[in-house]
Amino acid sequence: MAAVDNKRQLKIKTGVVKRLSKELVMYEKEVTDGESKLDQMKESGQDAYDIKKYTEVVAESRAMVPDCRNRLKKAVQDLDILLEDKSLCEAEEYKAAQEMRDTVTV
């Protein structure tokens, strides 16, 4: 029964790491795109209110990057703990988790 629970947890933790890594990439892209759009708005002389509001949007995205990075770091640590259980090394879930772990850097 414990092996089944560990397989399930492994699958869940792998999904969490995959989702958070995608989320981190999206937030970083959002910040980059937002900053370039903000520069364009300033250069084209957009309304000061619009620039101010868009600056707030970019700041929110920028604030999410460290938070998402911390959540990803925690999820990777949880996955590493589960990967220490070598009794599951032949399971498909273990191989998928190991592959995900190898692709994600924290």
Side-chain angles (χ1 to χ4, degrees):
M1 187 66 173
V4 173
D5 288 341
N6 284 348
K7 279 185 182 181
R8 185 170 182 263
Q9 284 300 312
L10 206 53
K11 192 171 186 177
I12 291 169
K13 298 295 182 189
T14 303
V16 169
V17 168
K18 183 177 181 180
R19 177 180 51 82
L20 288 173
S21 63
K22 284 182 182 179
E23 198 172 297
L24 180 62
V25 169
M26 288 304 298
Y27 279 126
E28 289 172 342
K29 183 179 182 316
E30 195 173 299
V31 168
T32 307
D33 292 347
E35 288 174 344
S36 65
K37 183 175 179 182
L38 193 57
D39 290 340
Q40 289 175 350
M41 289 173 76
K42 289 177 182 177
E43 288 174 6
S44 67
Q46 291 270 340
D47 185 43
Y49 179 78
D50 291 339
I51 292 173
K52 179 184 173 197
K53 284 299 175 186
Y54 202 75
T55 302
E56 291 173 8
V57 169
V58 171
E60 284 180 25
S61 295
R62 193 177 294 120
M64 288 305 296
V65 171
D67 175 59
C68 189
R69 190 170 283 125
N70 289 337
R71 289 185 291 143
L72 178 60
K73 187 183 237 180
K74 172 85 171 94
V76 167
Q77 288 172 349
D78 291 346
L79 185 61
D80 285 343
I81 290 169
L82 286 173
L83 287 173
E84 288 174 2
D85 182 9
K86 299 296 182 187
S87 66
L88 296 173
C89 66
E90 296 300 319
E92 188 175 317
E93 292 86 352
Y94 184 90
K95 292 174 184 171
Q98 188 65 49
E99 190 175 303
M100 178 57 63
R101 177 61 186 101
D102 292 342
T103 61
V104 174
T105 56
V106 182

